[in-house]
């Protein structure tokens, strides 16, 4: 994966993209690469490089003439999502692509026996204004009798067994969106509905699902995804898609809006796993094993936090097209 970061594109004409500074060649772009342009008003899409120089890329496909703008160009078999890409989907009102940073997955998502899921299948998007993450450690401790009499300082002994309660509180709004479900391996609209629901309908749907049991896979909302920008991968290296990855001791770093996204996790990076069971896992491609999440792309099977919704509240305001909500999610290994 190769990307430019935010650059000034001085213009697009005659199927040629021209940048004002920097070098496509130095960044690793090559003839035949599939590229995706983000933040363009007229040309946000995927193209194939026909020819290139340091400051120009000519595509096989037809481009629409466009004046100067600040954009991002990515190249690779899978296009990474970043904040710029998602914001472009939102502003261009592209309802069939990722438009959220926070998602609730239904229990039926990624179940065996069901194939052909799209990004939005059995998934509900939330517009979060604020996210509070709480980690409360449970450590049994016992005061040591008599220590203060000897040392002048009271002490306790604690047994840290790695017990913690983890919860996430989210507040924001629910907006109109496509709700797509897949109940059976078929193509009819009854078993595979995809409908554009109002925010109020989505809120009602979530209340009915929160009221259900974890045993009801088409209702239980048992996985939370919170996307966040990431510069460092699961092995304490810069993501290979970033310019700083190819520089020793870099001093210039990619801006937050251009960084790839990963789901928030309680997992640690590979080197921190020393002493745990994961330290015995075999190396992958000559690199130490890591179960830290990778940067997401168009076809990612995004793994979030498993658990359950402790509480879900909404406010319907007269005349408002959206619905305000608060949600408390507890991270847990649920049975069902």
């Amino acid at each position: 994966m190769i990307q430019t970061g935010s650059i000034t594109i001085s213009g697009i004409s005659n199927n040629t993209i021209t940048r004002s500074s920097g070098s496509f060649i130095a960044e690793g772009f090559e003839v035949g690469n599939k590229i995706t342009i983000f933040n363009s008003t007229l040309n946000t899409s995927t193209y194939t490089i026909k020819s290139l120089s340091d400051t120009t890329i000519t595509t096989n496909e037809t481009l629409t003439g466009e004046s100067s703008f600040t954009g991002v160009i990515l190249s690779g078999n899978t296009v990474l999502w970043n904040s710029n890409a998602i914001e472009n989907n939102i502003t261009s009102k592209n309802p069939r692509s990722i438009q959220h940073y926070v998602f609730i997955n239904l229990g039926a998502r990624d179940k065996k026996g069901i194939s052909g899921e799209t990004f939005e299948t059995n998934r509900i998007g939330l517009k979060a204004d604020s996210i509070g993450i709480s980690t409360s450690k449970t450590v049994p401790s016992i005061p040591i009798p008599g220590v203060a009499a000897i040392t002048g300082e009271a002490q306790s002994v604690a047994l840290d067994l790695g017990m913690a309660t983890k919860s996430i509180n989210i507040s924001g709004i629910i907006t109109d969106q496509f709700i797509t479900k897949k109940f059976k391996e078929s193509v009819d609209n009854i078993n595979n509905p995809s409908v554009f629901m109002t925010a109020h309908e989505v809120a009602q749907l979530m209340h009915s699902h929160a009221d259900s049991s974890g045993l009801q896979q088409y209702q239980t909302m048992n996985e939370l995804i919170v996307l966040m920008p990431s510069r460092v991968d699961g092995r304490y290296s810069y993501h290979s898609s970033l310019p700083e990855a190819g520089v020793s001791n870099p001093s210039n770093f990619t801006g937050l809006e251009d960084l790839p996204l990963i789901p928030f996790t309680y997992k640690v990076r590979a080197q921190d796993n020393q002493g745990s069971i994961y330290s015995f896992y075999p190396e992958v491609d000559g690199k130490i094993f890591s179960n830290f999440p990778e940067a997401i792309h168009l076809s990612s099977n995004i793994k979030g936090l498993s658990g359950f919704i402790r509480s879900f509240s909404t406010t319907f305001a007269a005349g408002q097209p959206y619905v305000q909500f608060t949600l408390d999610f507890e991270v847990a290994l649920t049975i069902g």
Side-chain angles (χ1 to χ4, degrees), residues 104-115 117 121-123 180-184 209 213-223 336:
I104 289 285
N105 282 354
L106 301 183
R109 184 168 177 83
D110 303 317
K111 289 289 185 182
K112 293 181 179 180
I114 299 292
S115 61
E117 288 183 327
T121 303
N122 292 323
R123 177 175 279 164
T180 301
K181 291 199 172 187
K182 193 174 182 68
F183 296 109
K184 292 183 179 180
H209 288 358
S213 161
L215 299 175
Q216 301 293 331
Q217 66 177 14
Y218 295 106
Q219 298 179 45
T220 182
M221 297 178 287
N222 63 357
E223 190 173 34

Side-chain angles (χ1 to χ4, degrees), residues 1 3 74 78-83 98 119 225 227-235 237-242 258-265 269 290-303:
M1 178 68 61
Q3 76 172 46
L74 303 180
T78 53
V79 176
L80 295 178
W81 287 114
N82 58 25
S83 294
I98 181 171
F119 181 86
I225 295 170
L227 299 180
M228 66 179 196
S230 173
R231 182 175 286 115
V232 179
D233 68 14
R235 297 181 177 87
S237 298
Y238 297 118
H239 288 290
S240 59
S241 62
L242 302 177
D258 294 318
L259 290 177
L261 300 171
I262 65 169
F264 178 84
T265 182
R269 291 174 170 84
S290 172
N291 61 344
F292 196 77
E294 295 183 354
I296 68 167
H297 51 79
L298 287 171
S299 56
S300 289
N301 178 18
I302 307 172
K303 185 66 178 175

